[in-house]
Amino acid sequence: MAYVINDGCVSCGACADGCPVGAISEGDGKYVIDADTCIECGACAATCPTGSIEG
């Protein structure tokens, strides 16, 4: 299952910069992960300063 970003997201963009496949984009009030593109590597969760990414 792809990683997801919860409501703790502060839209800093660190996760998008850390995603090797470009699966993360800015959504409405928080960033979102495209489940079809996500390769479940966890790089985004490692870069999130608020711990808002769950896998």
Side-chain angles (χ1 to χ4, degrees):
M1 177 176 234
Y3 281 73
V4 294
I5 301 174
N6 66 36
D7 290 338
C9 177
V10 295
S11 297
C12 69
C15 59
D17 292 341
C19 181
V21 295
I24 304 173
S25 60
E26 191 170 1
D28 187 25
K30 68 177 184 176
Y31 276 71
V32 293
I33 299 173
D34 179 359
D36 292 333
T37 307
C38 178
I39 59 171
E40 302 175 34
C41 67
C44 58
T47 62
C48 181
T50 61
S52 299
I53 302 176
E54 304 165 349

